[in-house]
Amino acid sequence: MQRILPALPAPAAWKVFVDYTYRMFAANDVAPNELVFVAMAQKEGWSTEDTFWFLILLWAYNHWGSALVAFERFPVPSALDEATMRLPMTTSRRGLRGGRLEGYIASYLLQVRRYGSLCAFFSADFTSDVHHNFERYWRQALCIWGNGRWAACGMAEHMVRGMGWPMEAPDMRLAGQRSVQRGLLDLFGMTAENVWPLAAYNQLGVLALAYARQAAFPHMGYETLETLLCDYQALLRGLYYVGNHIDEELEELIQVRFMLSSVRLAQVWDLRQQVIPWDYLGEYHGWSGSSSVLKRYYRTYRLVGDRSSHADP
């Protein structure tokens, strides 16, 4: 029997999603490191090539602190030394540990030699059509050894929001993306017990974006909605709270603080204070990382956990 997809989000789920999303935007927690590196790039007069190189390092480690250290040591596209390749990585990049990061960087350097620059590589065959440009970017990003859907989406978000790169995702690239798929099922009040085809998830993504734009968030794009849905489903499952990204990046900075120059470290603390609301800055309030208690806040109280309302439990 054919299953009918809902036309609108479930009212109770939508209420939670709206509350959570407003809080995420108010906290600048969708991608706080993006705001910091954009401010840093403007302050230091980075070129587009500089910014691309920093983004590559950021998604190589998926670790804010390590990317800053690597960029300070190697400010232009180049092979990294052994000590830099051993900098901390998050578990999302565990596939590049054990020396495999060398191959990842080498794959980009090959494209620099082929195209002349990272900028030329990432804009190859671009036109005035932003959806066409995204498809071109997508193919380029996935030709890099070590990149998959997760890294390509993450870089695209920073490029669109942080750099104003002339492209726009036509969808959320949901193939194999279980966390975003779960977020869509949660939002529409559907069960994950049934196996839904990719076409169903894509249709839910279209409906979710249209409804979000019409009902509350007129400037929402797929790049941002993808991140929000991923964190939304994590919040429902006791794995996230508003401010969690900010806290994780604080922990990453503390982890490498003795490897950064005093000038760079002071700059980063100052820029965090400029672009992140004061109540979310653990460096001024006595906490040094994410809180397992706040992650469980929604599951415990059925209220959106928000770091600004709680000191570290």
Side-chain angles (χ1 to χ4, degrees), residues 293 296-304 310:
V293 174
R296 297 191 298 271
Y297 196 82
Y298 181 82
R299 296 191 69 177
T300 303
Y301 301 105
R302 288 297 182 262
L303 296 170
V304 174
H310 305 85

Side-chain angles (χ1 to χ4, degrees), residues 155-184:
M155 286 194 67
E157 290 176 41
H158 285 321
M159 289 166 68
V160 171
R161 290 195 306 253
M163 299 176 65
W165 206 238
M167 62 185 189
E168 182 180 327
D171 54 57
M172 284 190 283
R173 308 284 136 145
L174 290 170
Q177 222 319 318
R178 291 300 302 152
S179 61
V180 182
Q181 291 176 7
R182 283 194 298 267
L184 285 168

Side-chain angles (χ1 to χ4, degrees), residues 38-169:
V38 168
M40 188 183 303
Q42 292 173 346
K43 187 178 183 68
E44 297 186 354
W46 291 4
S47 66
T48 302
E49 194 76 359
D50 296 332
T51 306
F52 275 132
W53 175 234
F54 181 80
L55 280 180
I56 288 167
L57 293 172
L58 182 60
W59 286 95
Y61 297 97
N62 193 36
H63 188 291
W64 177 228
S66 293
L68 288 167
V69 173
F71 187 71
E72 195 167 49
R73 293 176 179 176
F74 298 90
V76 297
S78 52
L80 308 180
D81 60 23
E82 289 189 13
T84 304
M85 287 193 290
R86 289 196 300 270
L87 290 171
M89 295 179 182
T90 65
T91 55
S92 298
R93 269 311 198 191
R94 58 189 177 275
L96 296 183
R97 292 172 180 167
R100 289 184 289 273
L101 178 57
E102 181 177 10
Y104 181 73
I105 297 298
S107 188
Y108 273 113
L109 296 180
L110 175 63
Q111 301 305 327
V112 171
R113 292 193 294 272
R114 181 174 296 167
Y115 287 88
S117 67
L118 292 169
C119 186
F121 168 67
F122 281 122
S123 63
D125 299 323
F126 269 30
T127 69
S128 59
D129 184 336
V130 292
H131 288 160
H132 164 86
N133 292 349
F134 187 89
E135 299 292 356
R136 284 298 308 157
Y137 156 78
W138 192 257
R139 285 193 287 272
Q140 295 291 79
L142 292 185
C143 81
I144 298 297
W145 181 88
N147 269 352
R149 182 250 175 227
W150 170 80
C153 277
M155 286 194 67
E157 290 176 41
H158 285 321
M159 289 166 68
V160 171
R161 290 195 306 253
M163 299 176 65
W165 206 238
M167 62 185 189
E168 182 180 327

